[in-house]
Amino acid sequence: FMAARFKEYGLKPMGDHGTYFQGVPFERRRMDPNASKLTLPGAQVNIKAGSAFIMDRIRDNVDASGDLVYVAASGPGARLDDDSKVQGKIVVANVGGDAVQVRRQLSGAGPAAILYVTTDAISNDYSFGRAATNDGQVRGGPQRGQRAPQGRITVQAAQSLVRGTGGDASIVDPAALSGDRMDVVDAGQQAKLVAKLEVQAVSVPNVVGLLEGSDPTLKAEYVGMGAHLDHLGTQNGTIYYGADDDGSGNTALLAIIRAFSQNPVKPKRSILFMCFCGEEMGLIGSSYYTAHPEVPNDKMVCELQMDMVGRNEESQTDKPEDNLDTTHIVGSKRLSTELHQLVLDANKFVNFKFEYDEEDVYTRSDHYMFAEKGIPIAFIFSGFHPDYHQPSDTPDKINYEKIANTARLYYLIANIAANLDHRLKVDIKG
């Protein structure tokens, strides 16, 4: 959709192979159900991964062997008194939700792997994330203090292990947990856990387009403008709409592009419009862009980012009706006092009431990846509200006039920055 609008408004494609799409490497990952298993060689027990057990958040293959140990713990007073009971071993842990300290202890005690007993159904669905940067494997267990590979195992699968070792199946039954309990039982058997990842490469696009400058020399310098494309998707069948985060920023960006396309007087410098993927997963799209820029980073005079620009801030101390014309400017004072003054000058035509009390979000949106490269940034953000990262972030709650005013402000800032007879000065050490 964004690429189609970029084309409609006459932007030059700046992505891969003459398109508007810059492919960012992601991966779909899950455990290979045919090659991942938990076995007790001495007891001829063989449990396949998938619906019986699963490893969580692993990025590499796991091949771990060790004595099998059962842990049963409940109550806030439960404590593991001796790390050597689990160190280097494969732990099947039946831990109550109130035994928080035991979970922490197990993670740092150096087991070969941990499988937490769960009463919930287990599925081997694909997870989605940035592409791995290495293909190493985790072999054996981590050292003390390192995080062990962790996963989940069903009660039924855990009980089949216990039966295979001749033990009491109640050790892995969550219904049997009560009071302050802390039991560690050596099963007397060696276990082997193999988790092989099934990985599929996926390309996810940033959308990048250029309004070329009119000056033969200055058009080789760029004003960057951005918003992020992603939100939280669908979770447990519920749509997370993301109308404000960041539908509002993309809407403002399109309004700015449309205004530039209709203005017969083009700015002297070029303006690069960027829509980033993977912001919610850790600024992945902007991180990739700044590492693989479509125009040289040292030729970008500033980057102007819009994220959540369509709501009236609301909190225990802020009423939305008191914030109809307020917004936050973040980061504009950090690298270039000239850029900050330019923001203030442009605002004389828009009349936002600026607030400066959200600098703690400086590292939380895509502008930060440009600031790390020494590029002056300004980040506009209208503030948090109870619908932040909730399914209730819907279009009916948007202040559309605020989006329009954000677009007017950033159009002016971009136009002024693009027409200066000099580059914005970087006079503050980041």
Side-chain angles (χ1 to χ4, degrees), residues 286-317:
S286 54
S287 174
Y288 184 85
Y289 175 85
T290 54
H292 305 85
E294 302 294 353
V295 302
N297 285 331
D298 62 3
K299 295 296 184 182
M300 188 171 286
V301 300
C302 63
E303 201 272 338
L304 310 173
Q305 188 73 15
M306 295 172 287
D307 189 351
M308 295 179 63
V309 296
R311 289 288 295 268
N312 304 319
E313 187 170 34
E314 182 180 354
S315 67
Q316 291 182 341
T317 57

Coordinates of all heavy atoms in Angstrom, one line a residue, residues 286-317:
S286 N 15.1 -0.3 10.7 CA 16.0 0.9 10.7 C 17.4 0.6 11.0 O 18.3 1.2 10.4 CB 15.5 2.0 11.7 OG 15.3 1.4 13.0
S287 N 17.6 -0.4 11.8 CA 19.0 -0.9 12.0 C 19.6 -1.5 10.8 O 20.7 -1.2 10.4 CB 19.0 -2.0 13.1 OG 20.2 -2.6 13.3
Y288 N 18.8 -2.2 10.0 CA 19.3 -2.8 8.8 C 19.5 -1.6 7.8 O 20.5 -1.6 7.0 CB 18.3 -3.8 8.2 CG 18.8 -4.4 6.9 CD1 19.6 -5.5 7.0 CD2 18.4 -3.9 5.7 CE1 20.1 -6.1 5.8 CE2 18.9 -4.5 4.5 CZ 19.7 -5.6 4.6 OH 20.2 -6.2 3.4
Y289 N 18.6 -0.7 7.7 CA 18.7 0.4 6.7 C 20.0 1.2 7.0 O 20.8 1.5 6.1 CB 17.5 1.4 6.8 CG 17.8 2.5 5.8 CD1 17.6 2.4 4.5 CD2 18.5 3.7 6.3 CE1 17.9 3.4 3.6 CE2 18.9 4.7 5.4 CZ 18.6 4.5 4.1 OH 19.0 5.5 3.2
T290 N 20.3 1.6 8.2 CA 21.5 2.4 8.5 C 22.8 1.6 8.3 O 23.8 2.2 8.0 CB 21.4 3.0 9.9 OG1 21.2 1.9 10.9 CG2 20.3 4.0 10.1
A291 N 22.7 0.3 8.4 CA 23.8 -0.6 8.0 C 24.0 -0.8 6.5 O 25.1 -1.1 6.1 CB 23.7 -1.9 8.8
H292 N 22.9 -0.6 5.8 CA 22.9 -0.8 4.3 C 22.1 0.3 3.7 O 21.1 0.1 3.1 CB 22.2 -2.2 4.0 CG 22.8 -3.4 4.7 ND1 22.4 -3.8 5.9 CD2 23.8 -4.2 4.3 CE1 23.1 -4.8 6.3 NE2 23.9 -5.1 5.3
P293 N 22.6 1.5 3.9 CA 21.9 2.7 3.4 C 21.7 2.8 1.9 O 22.6 2.4 1.2 CB 22.7 3.9 4.0 CG 24.1 3.4 4.1 CD 23.9 1.9 4.4
E294 N 20.6 3.3 1.5 CA 20.3 3.5 0.0 C 21.0 4.8 -0.4 O 21.2 5.0 -1.6 CB 18.8 3.5 -0.3 CG 18.1 2.2 0.1 CD 18.6 1.0 -0.7 OE1 19.3 1.1 -1.6 OE2 18.2 -0.1 -0.3
V295 N 21.2 5.7 0.5 CA 22.0 6.9 0.2 C 23.1 7.0 1.3 O 22.8 6.5 2.4 CB 21.2 8.2 0.1 CG1 20.1 8.1 -0.9 CG2 20.6 8.5 1.5
P296 N 24.2 7.6 1.1 CA 25.3 7.6 2.1 C 24.8 8.2 3.4 O 24.2 9.3 3.4 CB 26.4 8.4 1.5 CG 26.2 8.3 0.0 CD 24.7 8.2 -0.2
N297 N 25.0 7.6 4.5 CA 24.6 8.1 5.8 C 25.3 9.5 6.1 O 24.6 10.4 6.7 CB 25.1 7.2 7.0 CG 24.2 6.0 7.1 OD1 23.0 6.0 6.8 ND2 24.7 4.9 7.6
D298 N 26.5 9.7 5.6 CA 27.2 11.0 5.8 C 26.6 12.1 4.9 O 27.0 13.2 5.1 CB 28.7 10.9 5.7 CG 29.1 10.5 4.3 OD1 28.3 10.3 3.4 OD2 30.3 10.3 4.1
K299 N 25.7 11.8 4.1 CA 25.0 12.8 3.2 C 23.6 13.1 3.7 O 22.9 13.9 3.1 CB 25.0 12.3 1.8 CG 26.3 12.1 1.1 CD 27.1 13.4 1.0 CE 28.4 13.3 0.2 NZ 29.1 14.6 0.1
M300 N 23.2 12.5 4.8 CA 21.9 12.8 5.4 C 22.1 13.9 6.4 O 22.8 13.7 7.4 CB 21.3 11.5 6.0 CG 19.8 11.7 6.4 SD 19.0 10.2 6.9 CE 18.7 9.5 5.3
V301 N 21.4 15.0 6.2 CA 21.6 16.2 7.1 C 20.8 16.1 8.3 O 21.1 16.7 9.4 CB 21.3 17.5 6.3 CG1 22.2 17.6 5.1 CG2 19.8 17.5 5.9
C302 N 19.6 15.3 8.3 CA 18.8 15.1 9.5 C 17.8 14.0 9.2 O 17.6 13.7 8.0 CB 18.1 16.4 10.0 SG 16.9 17.0 8.8
E303 N 17.2 13.4 10.3 CA 16.2 12.4 10.1 C 15.1 12.8 11.0 O 15.2 13.0 12.2 CB 16.7 11.0 10.4 CG 15.9 9.9 9.8 CD 14.7 9.5 10.7 OE1 14.7 9.7 11.9 OE2 13.7 8.9 10.1
L304 N 13.9 12.9 10.4 CA 12.7 13.3 11.1 C 11.7 12.1 11.2 O 11.2 11.6 10.2 CB 12.0 14.5 10.4 CG 12.9 15.6 10.0 CD1 12.2 16.6 9.1 CD2 13.5 16.3 11.2
Q305 N 11.4 11.7 12.5 CA 10.7 10.5 12.7 C 9.3 10.8 13.3 O 9.2 11.6 14.2 CB 11.5 9.5 13.6 CG 10.9 8.1 13.7 CD 11.0 7.3 12.4 OE1 11.8 7.6 11.5 NE2 10.2 6.2 12.4
M306 N 8.3 10.1 12.9 CA 6.9 10.2 13.4 C 6.4 8.9 13.9 O 6.3 7.9 13.1 CB 6.0 10.8 12.4 CG 6.4 12.2 11.9 SD 5.4 12.8 10.5 CE 6.1 11.8 9.2
D307 N 6.1 8.8 15.2 CA 5.6 7.5 15.7 C 4.6 7.8 16.8 O 5.0 8.5 17.8 CB 6.8 6.7 16.3 CG 6.5 5.3 16.7 OD1 5.3 5.0 16.7 OD2 7.4 4.6 17.1
M308 N 3.4 7.4 16.6 CA 2.3 7.7 17.6 C 2.1 9.2 17.6 O 2.4 9.9 18.6 CB 2.6 7.2 19.0 CG 2.7 5.6 19.0 SD 3.0 5.0 20.7 CE 1.6 5.6 21.6
V309 N 1.5 9.8 16.6 CA 1.2 11.2 16.5 C -0.3 11.5 16.4 O -0.6 12.7 16.0 CB 2.0 11.8 15.3 CG1 3.5 11.6 15.5 CG2 1.6 11.2 14.0
G310 N -1.1 10.6 16.8 CA -2.6 10.8 16.5 C -3.5 10.7 17.7 O -4.7 10.6 17.6
R311 N -2.9 10.8 18.9 CA -3.8 10.7 20.1 C -3.5 11.8 21.1 O -2.4 12.5 21.0 CB -3.5 9.4 20.8 CG -4.1 8.2 20.1 CD -5.6 8.1 20.2 NE -6.1 7.9 21.5 CZ -6.3 6.7 22.1 NH1 -6.1 5.6 21.4 NH2 -6.8 6.6 23.3
N312 N -4.4 12.0 22.0 CA -4.2 13.0 23.1 C -3.7 12.3 24.3 O -4.3 11.3 24.8 CB -5.5 13.7 23.4 CG -6.1 14.4 22.1 OD1 -5.4 15.0 21.3 ND2 -7.4 14.3 22.0
E313 N -2.6 12.7 24.8 CA -1.9 12.0 25.9 C -2.9 11.8 27.0 O -3.7 12.7 27.4 CB -0.7 12.7 26.4 CG 0.1 12.0 27.4 CD 1.4 12.6 27.7 OE1 1.5 13.8 27.7 OE2 2.4 11.9 28.0
E314 N -2.9 10.6 27.6 CA -3.8 10.3 28.7 C -3.1 9.4 29.7 O -2.6 8.3 29.4 CB -5.1 9.6 28.1 CG -6.1 9.2 29.2 CD -7.3 8.5 28.6 OE1 -7.4 8.4 27.3 OE2 -8.2 8.1 29.3
S315 N -3.2 9.8 31.0 CA -2.6 9.0 32.1 C -3.3 9.4 33.3 O -4.4 10.1 33.3 CB -1.1 9.3 32.2 OG -0.9 10.7 32.6
Q316 N -2.8 8.9 34.5 CA -3.5 9.2 35.7 C -3.4 10.7 36.0 O -4.3 11.2 36.8 CB -2.8 8.4 36.9 CG -3.0 6.9 36.8 CD -2.4 6.2 37.9 OE1 -1.5 6.7 38.6 NE2 -2.9 4.9 38.2
T317 N -2.4 11.4 35.5 CA -2.3 12.8 35.7 C -2.6 13.7 34.5 O -2.7 14.9 34.7 CB -0.8 13.1 36.2 OG1 0.1 12.7 35.2 CG2 -0.5 12.4 37.5

